[in-house]
Amino acid sequence: MLKFTEEHEWLKIEGDVATVGITAHAAEQLGDLVFVELPEAGTSLDKGATAATVESVKAASDVYCPLDGEIVESNQAIVDDPALVNSDPQGAGWFFKLKLSDPSAANGLLDEAAYKELIA
Amino acid sequence: MDDHSPLKQTPLHALHASLGARMVPFAGYDMPVQYPAGVMKEHLHTRAAAGLFDVSHMGQIILRPRSGKIEDAALALEKLVPVDVLGLGEGRQRYGLFTNDQGGILDDLMIANRGDHLFLVVNAACKDADFAHLQAELSATCDLTLLDDRALIALQGPRAECVLAELWADVATMRFMDVAEADLHDVPCVISRSGYTGEDGFEISIPAASAQDVSRRLLEHPDVLPIGLGARDSLRLEAGLCLYGNDIDTGTTPVEAALEWALQKARRAGGAREGGFPGATIILRQLADGAGRRRVGLKPEGKAPVRGGAMLYTDAEGRAEAGVVTSGSFGPSADHPVAMGYVDSAHSGNGTQLFAEVRGKYLPVAVCALSFITPTYKR
């Protein structure tokens, strides 16, 4: 199941674990990323809490936790090479995997059609 | 800035749109922050080849002596700047500062001797205040004009000379900070060999009606890309150059800002025209005794950029304050984060380790020289 947030994150949900990243639209708006800071595995985060920070040449931006859950894995590859987020935002540029406290809460997020409408 | 006042446009506004620029409000103008290439590529391209910048938002002011003698305009302007203007030869330009009675900086500017008048370039956000300041202090001796019918573009980078030479062969005879008049495609322009990137390059004042045509022709050259404000900022920061409003303002003196080089001998203690500018007592005292704090370069030791506003400490727990970062970014040419800021003079020595507060963490930064690149000015 693929879901989106109004804060321009995508979630690929398999069982009770969501792989989370930022959308191609967000990556394009941010420009070339030069730094990514990710949460450590084991961190519990509420929906809306700051989960990660990304920095372009110009500015720093927060990436929010899209649902309540616990971080189970972070993508070291984008820490080592932030440009991966720009080149493959919805693939190799994923940010973290989140074990959802309540998988059914994902139903309240946007589907792909609704997200496309949001950024149109 | 009143959020409701409509943004002004430069004479190159339509060109930016046709080039696919992303526009942002800046100093009351609708300005290109980046083009489709993006900040990183635009920055690197400027240092590798040549970049074209629209800086038409800046103020261009003509100061014409009523007496017809340029010395009178120079001496009049010297009342407002701690700079040797009288000693500036015809066809030469130098950096200057308007100071206030507390020794603070009202604006920074370029001053050119154009033979029968002085030509000033000032910051966009300050231009109306600067012009009022000049009128209040100098209108007895000079006729002042804030030009509203000229564009200003900058062509910067190691290929700038070759590109401009295709329009004007004599450009190669210009040295850093020379100013000359030349026709580019039959358009009368005022050209200075200067810029805000640390690279060799030129700033070109063009009649507004012809600005788009001249700019398009420069952009036709395969070495030239249009460059937005984003890369302009990272380029000047790597070169250790101040952004007015961030790194210098009315609360910083030229000595604190490490701009002593802009205060020539003639205006210093024992000089031919010692003092005689606003804040002279304070500034001359600081020149002799030093100031309590100093602008320095800061190199973050990790990969995280340290931005303007971050506090600096001498310890990794944030107990003892040492200063504040005023500009910070990633430096695409340096290939690491770069910053500048003010630190207590006791901690201003190169190599001093300090800690910058970023998102609740204290990241190590090293005090270093202001420039992170080797400038390539043609002296």
Side-chain angles (χ1 to χ4, degrees), chain A residues 26-38:
Chain A
E28 201 260 323
Q29 288 296 310
L30 290 167
D32 303 308
L33 296 188
V34 296
F35 178 75
V36 177
E37 192 168 63
L38 294 174

Side-chain angles (χ1 to χ4, degrees), chain A residues 29 32 55-57 79, chain B residues 22 40 303 307 329 359:
Chain A
Q29 288 296 310
D32 303 308
E55 303 217 24
S56 67
V57 176
V79 175
Chain B
R22 187 183 297 171
M40 186 83 84
K303 289 172 73 177
R307 308 282 178 182
S329 171
R359 294 183 289 273

Side-chain angles (χ1 to χ4, degrees), chain B residues 213-349:
Chain B
D213 182 46
V214 172
S215 300
R216 276 189 194 282
R217 284 172 187 258
L218 291 169
L219 286 167
E220 278 170 13
H221 195 290
D223 286 342
V224 182
L225 272 186
I227 311 296
L229 292 178
R232 180 169 161 82
D233 191 53
S234 55
L235 287 159
R236 69 88 196 170
L237 176 51
E238 276 186 345
L241 301 170
C242 292
L243 172 61
Y244 189 83
N246 276 42
D247 309 304
I248 48 174
D249 57 29
T250 52
T252 62
T253 70
V255 179
E256 291 171 339
L259 296 172
E260 293 97 334
W261 56 268
L263 282 57
Q264 288 80 19
K265 216 172 165 181
R267 311 301 308 280
R268 297 191 181 203
R273 294 180 311 289
E274 171 182 335
F277 51 85
T281 311
I282 294 165
I283 292 169
L284 294 182
R285 190 174 66 225
Q286 288 188 350
L287 277 171
D289 302 340
R293 58 178 185 154
R294 186 161 185 84
R295 185 174 64 98
V296 295
L298 297 163
K299 181 183 183 296
E301 291 174 12
K303 289 172 73 177
V306 175
R307 308 282 178 182
M311 295 302 296
L312 294 164
Y313 300 89
T314 58
D315 60 284
E317 287 80 41
R319 291 198 199 101
E321 259 182 43
V324 64
V325 176
T326 51
S327 284
S329 171
F330 180 79
S333 303
D335 200 28
H336 57 71
V338 296
M340 67 171 79
Y342 285 83
V343 299
D344 294 340
S345 294
H347 307 298
S348 65

Side-chain angles (χ1 to χ4, degrees), chain B residues 84-316:
Chain B
D84 179 2
V85 186
L86 190 63
L88 186 64
E90 182 171 345
R92 294 289 290 162
Q93 170 177 282
R94 66 176 36 144
Y95 178 76
L97 305 156
F98 288 120
T99 50
N100 67 19
D101 290 338
Q102 291 73 47
I105 300 171
L106 291 169
D107 197 6
D108 62 346
L109 72 156
M110 283 293 185
I111 305 165
N113 177 342
R114 299 265 298 115
D116 61 350
H117 67 274
L118 297 176
F119 179 59
L120 314 183
V121 177
V122 303
N123 281 300
C126 303
K127 65 183 175 186
D128 293 330
D130 289 344
F131 190 66
H133 183 51
L134 285 162
Q135 274 191 313
E137 303 295 329
L138 306 188
S139 54
T141 46
C142 298
D143 288 321
L144 291 149
T145 316
L146 177 58
L147 301 177
D148 57 5
D149 57 353
R150 307 279 296 189
L152 190 66
I153 61 172
L155 183 67
Q156 301 279 295
R159 298 288 297 160
E161 182 188 277
C162 295
V163 171
L164 204 51
E166 292 187 12
L167 305 189
W168 180 48
D170 289 348
V171 69
T173 65
M174 292 183 82
R175 290 181 299 139
F176 182 58
M177 291 292 198
D178 276 352
V179 182
E181 219 168 290
D183 287 354
L184 303 182
H185 288 291
D186 301 322
V187 178
C189 297
V190 177
I191 302 175
S192 68
R193 192 155 198 166
S194 55
Y196 192 48
T197 59
E199 296 298 321
D200 181 29
F202 302 87
E203 292 171 297
I204 309 169
S205 173
I206 314 174
S210 306
Q212 191 139 304
D213 182 46
V214 172
S215 300
R216 276 189 194 282
R217 284 172 187 258
L218 291 169
L219 286 167
E220 278 170 13
H221 195 290
D223 286 342
V224 182
L225 272 186
I227 311 296
L229 292 178
R232 180 169 161 82
D233 191 53
S234 55
L235 287 159
R236 69 88 196 170
L237 176 51
E238 276 186 345
L241 301 170
C242 292
L243 172 61
Y244 189 83
N246 276 42
D247 309 304
I248 48 174
D249 57 29
T250 52
T252 62
T253 70
V255 179
E256 291 171 339
L259 296 172
E260 293 97 334
W261 56 268
L263 282 57
Q264 288 80 19
K265 216 172 165 181
R267 311 301 308 280
R268 297 191 181 203
R273 294 180 311 289
E274 171 182 335
F277 51 85
T281 311
I282 294 165
I283 292 169
L284 294 182
R285 190 174 66 225
Q286 288 188 350
L287 277 171
D289 302 340
R293 58 178 185 154
R294 186 161 185 84
R295 185 174 64 98
V296 295
L298 297 163
K299 181 183 183 296
E301 291 174 12
K303 289 172 73 177
V306 175
R307 308 282 178 182
M311 295 302 296
L312 294 164
Y313 300 89
T314 58
D315 60 284

